[in-house]
Amino acid sequence: MAPKTNPGRFFEDYAVGQTIHHAVPRTVKMGERAVYHMLYPARHALYSSDQFAQGCGLPFSPLDDMIAFHIVFGKTVPDVSLNAVANLGYAEGRWITPVWPGDTLRSVSDVIGIKENSNGKTGVVWVRTTGLNQHDETVLEYVRWVMVRKRDAATPAPETVIPDLAQVIPADRLVIPRRLDFSGYDFTLAGEPHRWADYEIGEQIDHVDGVTVEDAEHMMATRLWQNTAKVHFDTTARPDGSRLIYGGHVISMARALSFNGLANAQMVVGLNGGAHANPCLAGDTIRAWSEVLDKAETDAPGVGALRLRLVATKGGEAFTLKGEDGKYLPHVLLDLDYWALVPL
């Protein structure tokens, strides 16, 4: 009799060209926002107030961009990273269509790259994931690559295919939500006076605040996104007996902390790249700093774009990232390169 349970895919189960339709679509409503704002100090006004969003040309406030990311990502875990050793990086991410309360999201992934590691026990798999709503409109797309265990180390290595990925999404490929208009932007209600012109390329911002993370809250968040990766829940899944904090939890915490200094970076619309540099564990205090990497104007009225590096740390000196050997310093948790929309 065939087994009824799913042990997850191992490295041998992937091949370039595969398309994986992920199970369990999810209808999202205001409950997701309430829990998200409870878990993280999220305060960006566009995602907090219908009235503020309407003043920016939208019909009402969409759900936070990272809610869309987490839900689309979570759908992929049982098929992509259930047996992962680590989630290694991101590229070519774009938010295409806002997610509104009542939308139903599902995910589809295409395997675009594969490479066995030299130890013969693991390999790296690249997937391009698309999140779709109930109208089959793309809400989000991104590439990520994951280190996955092999089922049998004796299995011959597949032919290596490494995808050619853009280092940066050109500003003219960013999708601006329809009708978005910052020409009448209310800086008082947003919380800070700083507009696009006030930021300079190369400027660094220490976001000051910190949040100590605990197991209970990160497991609640990870369950909320229906992420079933063993390393986040099962203490026997890691040699040191700890639960690894979900990398997306660190992303959302750092993004929320960046409000202090980037309150007007209202919408994340592009993900150029990202790395989870070191593991985050319960008891770590997450802090964040940002660097302005680039600036661009857009065709939307009053709307500019900032390319930002967001770095999350667990201590250490602000604005330090890598050592002389080019490797991330031990206190660095996250290095994220993204585009955000700000008022001109």
Side-chain angles (χ1 to χ4, degrees):
M1 185 178 294
K4 301 296 190 298
T5 55
N6 174 23
R9 284 175 165 85
F10 291 86
F11 180 71
E12 301 96 309
D13 299 321
Y14 297 96
V16 173
Q18 282 179 333
T19 296
I20 305 170
H21 294 269
H22 305 292
V24 193
R26 173 133 175 207
T27 301
V28 292
K29 297 188 178 180
M30 292 302 291
E32 274 78 9
R33 171 180 290 167
V35 177
Y36 186 87
H37 287 205
M38 178 187 74
L39 290 165
Y40 311 106
R43 291 183 288 158
H44 288 89
L46 193 73
Y47 295 120
S48 299
S49 163
D50 283 348
Q51 183 181 20
F52 188 93
Q54 288 161 359
C56 295
L58 302 180
F60 45 88
S61 178
L63 294 185
D64 298 62
D65 37 55
M66 294 313 302
I67 290 178
F69 175 81
H70 290 312
I71 290 176
V72 170
F73 184 103
K75 304 291 98 191
T76 73
V77 169
D79 299 309
V80 174
S81 48
L82 195 65
N83 294 306
V85 178
N87 189 40
L88 299 177
Y90 308 95
E92 297 187 357
R94 293 192 305 158
W95 280 255
I96 308 295
T97 303
V99 175
W100 307 102
D103 280 351
T104 297
L105 304 183
R106 61 185 177 88
S107 302
V108 179
S109 294
D110 294 309
V111 180
I112 61 172
I114 194 165
K115 179 182 180 296
E116 183 170 302
N117 291 328
S118 57
N119 63 12
K121 298 178 181 179
T122 59
V124 179
V125 179
W126 285 261
V127 297
R128 185 182 301 278
T129 294
T130 302
L132 302 160
N133 65 18
Q134 68 274 21
H135 306 297
D136 288 332
E137 299 168 331
T138 297
V139 301
L140 170 67
E141 62 183 17
Y142 63 91
V143 173
R144 71 164 169 140
W145 48 105
V146 187
M147 187 186 302
V148 183
R149 294 179 179 87
K150 289 185 71 174
R151 180 185 291 105
D152 181 358
T155 303
E159 179 182 355
T160 295
V161 177
I162 299 177
D164 183 17
L165 301 172
Q167 295 296 308
V168 178
I169 300 166
D172 61 6
R173 290 198 65 234
L174 300 174
V175 179
I176 312 302
R178 193 160 55 96
R179 301 195 194 95
L180 187 69
D181 183 345
F182 283 167
S183 57
Y185 190 90
D186 191 324
F187 288 89
T188 299
L189 291 180
E192 288 181 351
H194 317 305
R195 60 178 72 230
W196 183 85
D198 297 325
Y199 293 92
E200 298 180 1
I201 295 173
E203 180 179 359
Q204 294 179 316
I205 305 163
D206 183 350
H207 298 301
V208 180
D209 306 307
V211 174
T212 303
V213 294
E214 301 295 345
D215 271 335
E217 66 189 31
H218 102 83
M219 288 191 294
M220 179 186 296
T222 310
R223 289 191 187 101
L224 177 65
W225 317 128
Q226 297 178 324
N227 181 333
T228 57
K230 300 171 186 176
V231 293
H232 304 318
F233 300 102
D234 184 349
T235 58
T236 68
R238 284 173 47 84
D240 63 359
S242 65
R243 299 179 180 93
L244 184 68
I245 303 292
Y246 163 47
H249 193 67
V250 179
I251 292 174
S252 275
M253 193 66 74
R255 159 71 173 159
L257 291 171
S258 75
F259 179 90
N260 191 349
L262 285 167
N264 296 317
Q266 289 289 351
M267 304 189 83
V268 175
V269 290
L271 179 57
N272 299 304
H276 297 290
N278 287 290
C280 183
L281 303 174
D284 288 341
T285 297
I286 298 176
R287 301 185 186 278
W289 57 269
S290 292
E291 179 180 1
V292 180
L293 299 178
D294 201 359
K295 301 172 64 174
E297 297 187 51
T298 77
D299 293 333
V303 179
L306 292 179
R307 181 185 167 201
L308 300 163
R309 161 175 268 160
L310 175 62
V311 177
T313 70
K314 53 179 177 180
E317 186 178 350
F319 313 131
T320 59
L321 189 65
K322 296 181 180 180
E324 294 181 359
D325 58 1
K327 295 181 179 180
Y328 286 107
L329 295 169
H331 68 277
V332 175
L333 298 172
L334 171 73
D335 182 11
L336 200 72
D337 180 341
Y338 71 102
W339 285 101
L341 300 182
V342 299
L344 291 172

